[in-house]
Amino acid sequence: MQILRICLLGGFNLMYDHRVLTGVNTPRLQSLLAYLLLHREAPQARRYLAFLFWPDSSEAQARTNLRKLFHQLHQALPEADRFLQADVHSLQWRNDAPFSLDVADFERAVAQPGSLQNLQTAADLYFGDLLPNCYDDWIFPERERLRQMYAETLERLINLFEGERNHRAAISYAQRLLRLDPLCELTYRDLLRLHAMSGDRAGMVRVYQTCVTVLRRELDVEPSMETQEAYERGLKMAEGIRLAAVSQPRLQPTPGLNNLPLPLTRFIGREHEVELVKGLVLSNRLVTLAGAGGIGKTRLALVAARALTASFMDGIWHVDLAALSDPSLVLATVASVLGVREERDRPLLARVTEYLREKQMLLILDKCEHLIEAVQSLVEALLSVASEVHILVTSRVVLGMTGEVIWRVPSLPTPDMSQRTLQEEGAGSGRELEEILGQYTSVQLFVDRAAAVLPTFALANTNVHAVGRICQQLDGIPLALELAAALVRLLTVQEIADHLQDALQILSHGRSTALPRHRTLQATLDWSHVLLRPQEQALFRRLACFAGSFTLEAAEFICSSADFEPAQVLNGLAALVDQSLVSVEAAGEATRFRLHEVTRQYARARLLEAGEEEQIRNRHLEFFCKMVESLEADLHGTLPPGAFEHLTQEYDNLCAALEWSGYQAGNILLGLRLAATLTDFWELRGQLTAERGWLEALLRRAGEAAEPTLRAKALRGAGKVAYYQCDFEAARMYFEQSLALDRELNNRLRMADTLSRLGFLFVIQENYTAAEPVYRESLALFRALEDRRGVGRVLSELGYIALRREDYIQARAQLEESLTLFSEPDDRYLECRARHFLGHVARLSGDYAQARAHYKRACLILTEMHNTWGLFYLIEAFACLAVAEAQWERAVRLFGAAEHLGEMIGAVMAPIERAECERNTSAARAALSEGAFSAAWAVGQAMSLDEVISYMLEQPQ
């Protein structure tokens, strides 16, 4: 039987038939599922659940939210009706369903008779707090209840193992208890006593130093007199026991032995990564966690190792190599941690390999990048004789050994703070933004570390946007986030975010207890840079020209030089990837590479020092100008296959190239070429304000220096952008200037195109007298040129004139004639416009089924083309159709969704279209109560674009 396995402790995980399910992927969805699971004994009233999850919303809105959330949950679960039961009043998890729940397993194990084995089973089932990334109010008492059960289980295990004089096992459980509450002095005293009874004086010192550090940092107090006295007594006891037992061999290995340092701060997120590393370590004998400095390799390794203490009978031993500068000391350091001493007649390596030969052990070699050759030699010697020893390495540089499994530690997930993305995620208010951003582990880490230095700090709607910017600008690098968080005692988060363009300077105050090369971002990058060969350093600094990710082709063109052939770039990139300075991203058919933002800032500083910035940025501009021209849309706005996706991937680089062209007088014309070629792409993206600014500025600066063909093209593009923003006066000026130049050049195809655009501009302003002669000339030119698509386009726009004059017979005839001219795949957009207009004709003629058919076809084409500007107008068309059919709530939702999309992309509706939409909106408002209208409008505004498209394509009820 297929069983649904649900894990809620320590993070969320869902498996069905040995397959991981990823559909339940938001904290709110996970919280609803958890609530139904933990209260599965009885049906849960919908009204109560709506209030519980959305206490600040109106009842109608809360119930709507619940209905949507439950629908998402139902869609995400396979064979959902086997597990979920719903009626009009309640929801319930079916208790007879084939599922397993880790919380239930834990509670059952705790309830068993308190034998040692049962208690150990219970403790091993508790992988962490209940859904640590969920913050709904209901979850806090449940989380605390389970924590208390776990704490009581650990206390009983400590007492039982201590009674059996198995102090090492008792210590491992006491360490777990301390991780639950790092401020509990009673647990520190238990650990001091247990280490003392083991004769482990070094362990006592480590525990006491940790106690002092944590209490000073978190509470600004010293350990109590009772703890100090326990420490003094323990030191004396440990020394006596050690001397008495020095000749006694250890008879039996004890699971749980380790020297893993206790963390001083909370580990945030990365539940999936921890599980992945655990699996890699158990399945492979040599695993390397690679990554940039500050990415969190050591912390991840230690957290994963703590979860594996029961898997290695002879323990887990951590060897920190950061402080070593002499490679010859690597072996001695490992031997010291293992307690292996050199003998006069036997080499130390032989002693270590002999010691490990029969051991089942995990050895962690931490921070190895500066000692690679010595570590390679030692690892090879150990693994060749000790078959049950596993080695986990953390390093910025991989070992490059046979059998090495490399896993590159990623940054923490960060929010995309662009206005468009936030609006797509539904972040309308500060509260909504706070909830959305609070789900990101980078934000959680920043908030946690900021609260450590400023206890009053919390994520709130007044600071959430700045916190999101900080996390995005720092690429989710844990060290960078911790350094930024430490500044909240001096600066507001807004001030921190505003200064991160120079992150290396502002984040210059690091941890005083760390080695110098690990204290600050500057120091950790200096250390990585030193490890590079001269040619690798040259490539590294030149890659600073890229904004965002880049391809090998781009790097070869831009970064090569007289002494650095393009063919060598790949080898250089491979070295930089191995050194964890460049990351690799899978992106369709072409691999892409990226520098983290802080790393890019460091590389740019090196580029400036080398005096190469102008040369490299000029090549960057040249490359992307040629690339864009190879992907240019035709006169009718059709991009080549795959061009939209390619240009979207390169958007950050295109912006960087345009910015650079404006700084350099010699690059103005190249920048104008780039901007003029991008106008159709900008239309599809639906974000035009910044793009229009670039194009107009470059036109002004180029002036008469731009040759007429380029200037005409750029003016035509500026007219299109102005038209999309309903700045009709500017659009007419640009179109007429472009047309004048094309007449001088006798470029008849461009003339025909610009005339048709000018004609449609007149139509939108209801100036049909001015439009008709312009269209006649355009049509004549297209026919003389035998441009089938141009003829069809003009016919469809003449049909639109007839539509606006309410001559529906003439409009339908001209639009249907235009459709006969659109048959090729490249004609999709022109077909879409004609069908959009035909939908209007059918709707205004009362044929609603035919209108819906035309609108749906147009919707599918626009969606396939990623044309958000066209979809904005089409949503309004579907809303007007809903009004015509008296589908009032549907109409209001669509009007709300259209307004939301318009705000997101900066689209403005033409007056002729806006007047009709305003009439229809008023009709819907009159047909509904104010509460119903407001609720439907809010639902529409909260919908993502994908949800709106699905809603438009649904058959209305």
Side-chain angles (χ1 to χ4, degrees):
M1 177 185 292
Q2 295 176 332
I3 294 178
L4 185 68
R5 304 185 187 281
I6 309 144
C7 298
L8 306 178
L9 295 174
F12 184 83
N13 193 36
L14 205 58
M15 291 190 67
Y16 187 66
D17 190 28
H18 306 292
R19 178 169 52 92
V20 176
L21 304 179
T22 58
V24 185
N25 54 10
T26 67
R28 185 52 63 88
L29 260 182
Q30 294 165 7
S31 181
L32 177 61
L33 174 59
Y35 189 90
L36 294 175
L37 281 161
L38 298 180
H39 300 84
R40 60 190 179 279
E41 296 80 9
Q44 303 299 308
R46 286 179 182 262
R47 184 175 183 181
Y48 174 74
L49 288 172
F51 173 77
L52 183 68
F53 280 81
W54 294 276
D56 297 328
S57 299
S58 66
E59 181 176 348
Q61 182 62 58
R63 292 184 71 125
T64 298
N65 293 345
L66 177 63
R67 186 164 57 252
K68 289 178 65 177
L69 193 67
F70 183 74
H71 175 72
Q72 292 174 32
L73 180 60
H74 195 276
Q75 292 293 106
L77 293 177
E79 302 182 80
D81 290 334
R82 298 175 69 192
F83 305 102
L84 297 171
Q85 184 170 312
D87 58 37
V88 70
H89 298 296
S90 65
L91 307 174
Q92 186 176 10
W93 184 270
R94 300 176 64 97
N95 214 4
D96 58 347
F99 75 99
S100 69
L101 175 65
D102 62 345
V103 174
D105 295 339
F106 171 69
E107 289 176 319
R108 277 194 297 271
V110 171
Q112 294 293 319
S115 68
L116 189 60
Q117 184 176 356
N118 288 340
L119 289 171
Q120 285 182 293
T121 300
D124 290 343
L125 286 169
Y126 191 89
F127 285 101
D129 286 344
L130 177 69
L131 290 183
N133 294 329
C134 289
Y135 300 98
D136 288 317
D137 290 343
W138 75 267
I139 210 163
F140 293 109
E142 283 292 323
R143 187 180 289 157
E144 186 55 37
R145 178 181 68 83
L146 294 169
R147 277 172 65 93
Q148 190 59 39
M149 290 174 63
Y150 177 54
E152 291 171 358
T153 301
L154 293 175
E155 289 169 356
R156 294 168 70 186
L157 280 165
I158 294 166
N159 291 334
L160 284 171
F161 275 117
E162 186 175 1
E164 294 184 356
R165 303 183 65 80
N166 189 344
H167 300 123
R168 286 295 178 187
I171 286 171
S172 73
Y173 288 107
Q175 288 173 331
R176 291 200 208 180
L177 186 59
L178 187 61
R179 286 195 288 273
L180 269 188
D181 184 3
L183 301 178
C184 180
E185 285 195 65
L186 179 60
T187 309
Y188 284 110
R189 291 197 291 272
D190 286 343
L191 275 166
L192 289 171
R193 184 183 70 256
L194 291 166
H195 277 291
M197 295 173 72
S198 303
D200 183 3
R201 190 177 188 280
M204 282 193 65
V205 173
R206 188 170 61 248
V207 169
Y208 186 71
Q209 287 176 342
T210 300
C211 177
V212 171
T213 302
V214 171
L215 293 180
R216 283 177 181 169
R217 174 178 175 144
E218 302 296 328
L219 303 177
D220 196 22
V221 299
E222 298 295 324
S224 67
M225 186 59 67
E226 189 176 0
T227 301
Q228 294 178 40
E229 291 173 352
Y231 178 54
E232 295 299 332
R233 287 196 307 271
L235 288 175
K236 296 175 184 177
M237 181 192 303
E239 184 62 18
I241 292 173
R242 188 189 68 79
L243 292 173
V246 71
S247 62
Q248 298 296 319
R250 179 164 63 89
L251 300 177
Q252 181 65 32
T254 305
L257 280 175
N258 66 80
N259 70 334
L260 301 175
L262 287 172
L264 300 182
T265 55
R266 191 161 67 97
F267 185 71
I268 305 292
R270 287 191 161 169
E271 295 86 358
H272 171 73
E273 287 90 338
V274 170
E275 292 301 311
L276 188 147
V277 172
K278 285 165 56 181
L280 289 176
V281 169
L282 291 174
S283 304
N284 304 277
R285 298 186 60 216
L286 175 58
V287 176
T288 296
L289 301 186
I295 205 75
K297 303 179 292 295
T298 295
R299 193 68 186 273
L300 178 60
L302 294 176
V303 171
R306 286 190 191 96
L308 292 170
T309 52
S311 301
F312 293 93
M313 292 296 292
D314 292 286
I316 298 177
W317 303 98
H318 172 246
V319 184
D320 190 345
L321 300 174
L324 297 187
S325 58
D326 185 349
S328 66
L329 296 177
V330 171
L331 174 60
T333 304
V334 172
S336 175
V337 169
L338 296 176
V340 177
R341 297 180 180 178
E342 190 169 5
E343 295 178 355
R344 182 176 302 175
D345 57 341
R346 299 197 66 197
L348 185 56
L349 180 59
R351 291 277 293 127
V352 171
T353 53
E354 180 182 352
Y355 173 82
L356 292 176
R357 189 182 301 275
E358 303 299 327
K359 295 291 190 292
Q360 185 194 17
M361 179 186 294
L362 173 62
L363 188 62
I364 302 173
L365 302 180
D366 192 16
K367 305 182 186 78
C368 301
E369 56 272 353
H370 57 305
L371 303 163
I372 290 297
E373 291 184 5
V375 171
Q376 287 173 336
S377 176
L378 176 61
V379 167
E380 185 175 7
L382 299 183
L383 294 182
S384 65
V385 298
S387 62
E388 295 298 318
V389 169
H390 291 228
I391 296 178
L392 176 60
V393 172
T394 75
S395 176
R396 302 182 198 184
V397 185
V398 299
L399 298 184
M401 295 180 62
T402 302
E404 178 187 19
V405 174
I406 301 166
W407 190 68
R408 300 193 179 278
V409 178
S411 300
L412 297 175
T414 60
D416 181 349
M417 297 304 295
S418 66
Q419 191 65 25
R420 177 174 185 169
T421 302
L422 292 177
Q423 289 178 326
E424 283 178 349
E425 294 191 18
S429 68
R431 178 179 174 81
E432 291 168 342
L433 184 58
E434 183 182 341
E435 183 175 340
I436 290 170
L437 265 61
Q439 301 170 12
Y440 288 90
T441 48
S442 57
V443 173
Q444 294 165 18
L445 177 67
F446 180 88
V447 172
D448 182 82
R449 302 306 192 254
V453 298
L454 185 66
T456 57
F457 185 86
L459 193 65
N461 59 20
T462 55
N463 64 23
V464 63
H465 196 275
V467 171
R469 283 179 56 208
I470 291 169
C471 294
Q472 182 181 25
Q473 287 175 273
L474 296 178
D475 281 321
I477 299 174
L479 173 60
L481 292 171
E482 292 187 358
L483 294 173
L487 293 174
V488 300
R489 70 188 189 280
L490 304 172
L491 303 171
T492 67
V493 287
Q494 184 65 53
E495 289 173 321
I496 296 170
D498 290 343
H499 285 81
L500 286 180
Q501 292 84 354
D502 193 1
L504 297 174
Q505 290 299 316
I506 191 173
L507 305 182
S508 60
H509 298 286
R511 300 165 293 186
S512 59
T513 56
L515 288 170
R517 63 175 178 266
H518 295 141
R519 285 180 189 167
T520 67
L521 290 174
Q522 178 78 41
T524 195
L525 287 166
D526 282 341
W527 180 239
S528 293
H529 192 255
V530 164
L531 299 175
L532 298 176
R533 299 183 181 92
Q535 196 173 57
E536 294 163 358
Q537 291 179 346
L539 176 60
F540 173 60
R541 64 177 178 260
R542 292 170 187 174
L543 295 176
C545 69
F546 291 106
S549 62
F550 56 91
T551 62
L552 173 62
E553 178 189 9
E556 287 176 336
F557 180 89
I558 295 164
C559 300
S560 58
S561 61
D563 59 343
F564 199 170
E565 294 293 326
Q568 295 175 294
V569 170
L570 178 58
N571 291 334
L573 275 174
L576 293 175
V577 169
D578 285 344
Q579 298 274 1
S580 301
L581 288 168
V582 171
S583 58
V584 181
E585 298 180 348
E589 296 180 1
T591 299
R592 299 185 70 83
F593 303 88
R594 180 187 295 272
L595 276 71
H596 290 300
E597 174 56 24
V598 176
T599 309
R600 192 189 68 80
Q601 289 184 22
Y602 180 89
R604 183 170 182 267
R606 304 285 76 77
L607 187 68
L608 290 169
E609 285 178 3
E612 296 179 339
E613 182 181 41
E614 183 174 347
Q615 170 198 345
I616 296 300
R617 293 291 297 271
N618 287 346
R619 289 176 67 83
H620 179 274
L621 172 60
E622 180 186 358
F623 176 85
F624 283 104
C625 186
K626 291 179 178 178
M627 185 208 79
V628 167
E629 288 176 335
S630 73
L631 299 173
E632 184 175 7
D634 62 23
L635 276 181
H636 302 296
T638 301
L639 291 170
F644 180 84
E645 292 78 9
H646 193 171
L647 292 170
T648 299
Q649 284 182 324
E650 299 292 1
Y651 186 71
D652 290 338
N653 280 311
L654 299 177
C655 293
L658 284 168
E659 288 174 0
W660 178 254
S661 72
Y663 293 140
Q664 299 285 318
N667 290 325
I668 296 296
L669 297 181
L670 205 56
L672 187 60
R673 279 172 53 192
L674 176 60
T677 309
L678 281 170
T679 51
D680 288 289
F681 170 65
W682 290 341
E683 174 194 347
L684 293 177
R685 276 184 61 86
Q687 291 180 297
L688 303 171
T689 302
E691 289 85 345
R692 179 180 174 183
W694 278 321
L695 187 51
E696 290 180 336
L698 289 164
L699 269 168
R700 283 194 304 271
R701 294 195 63 187
E704 298 304 318
E707 53 92 14
T709 302
L710 171 59
R711 187 166 178 79
K713 178 180 177 181
L715 287 165
R716 171 181 166 275
K720 289 174 63 178
V721 175
Y723 163 75
Y724 297 140
Q725 294 184 310
C726 291
D727 186 351
F728 299 137
E729 183 177 346
R732 179 174 179 175
M733 177 189 71
Y734 287 131
F735 283 145
E736 288 179 343
Q737 290 179 5
S738 175
L739 182 61
L741 286 169
D742 283 328
R743 288 190 191 281
E744 290 178 11
L745 295 165
N746 195 31
N747 189 329
R748 294 193 297 160
L749 188 58
R750 289 277 185 192
M751 286 167 55
D753 175 76
T754 306
L755 283 164
S756 72
R757 295 183 186 280
L758 192 58
F760 199 70
L761 176 63
F762 290 139
V763 171
I764 289 297
Q765 296 176 288
E766 299 182 82
N767 187 353
Y768 305 126
T769 303
E772 286 178 339
V774 172
Y775 271 130
R776 281 198 297 272
E777 184 180 359
S778 175
L779 186 60
L781 283 168
F782 276 130
R783 281 178 168 156
L785 294 165
E786 298 182 351
D787 188 317
R788 168 186 55 82
R789 298 169 68 202
V791 171
R793 188 174 108 197
V794 174
L795 286 174
S796 71
E797 290 173 6
L798 290 172
Y800 185 76
I801 294 178
L803 163 67
R804 287 305 170 196
R805 287 177 159 173
E806 299 184 6
D807 185 348
Y808 300 139
I809 295 175
Q810 175 71 10
R812 183 179 290 109
Q814 288 181 312
L815 287 164
E816 288 179 347
E817 182 184 355
S818 75
L819 277 181
T820 65
L821 299 173
F822 305 142
S823 57
E824 302 297 326
D826 287 346
D827 299 343
R828 291 175 305 157
Y829 180 59
L830 298 176
E831 178 196 346
C832 164
R833 293 182 80 232
R835 290 195 181 277
H836 190 159
F837 299 155
L838 276 168
H840 289 348
V841 172
R843 171 170 59 82
L844 295 171
S845 302
D847 189 346
Y848 303 142
Q850 187 66 26
R852 181 171 294 104
H854 285 305
Y855 288 156
K856 281 187 174 181
R857 173 61 182 163
C859 180
L860 292 171
I861 293 172
L862 290 171
T863 302
E864 185 180 348
M865 295 181 69
H866 312 283
N867 192 321
T868 50
W869 188 83
L871 284 167
F872 165 68
Y873 272 92
L874 194 62
I875 296 169
E876 297 277 12
F878 270 103
C880 291
L881 178 60
V883 168
E885 295 181 306
Q887 297 277 344
W888 305 113
E889 183 177 332
R890 176 180 174 84
V892 175
R893 287 186 180 186
L894 289 168
F895 280 130
E899 181 186 75
H900 174 67
L901 179 60
E903 291 172 351
M904 183 170 69
I905 65 175
V908 181
M909 181 155 285
I912 190 173
E913 303 276 1
R914 185 168 63 246
E916 182 182 16
C917 290
E918 287 173 351
R919 288 194 302 272
N920 282 310
T921 303
S922 297
R925 186 185 293 275
L928 296 170
S929 68
E930 191 57 38
F933 182 93
S934 298
W937 189 274
V939 170
Q941 293 233 309
M943 296 168 78
S944 69
L945 183 56
D946 287 342
E947 289 174 331
V948 177
I949 292 169
S950 297
Y951 191 59
M952 287 193 294
L953 295 175
E954 285 178 4
Q955 188 68 26
Q957 301 299 315

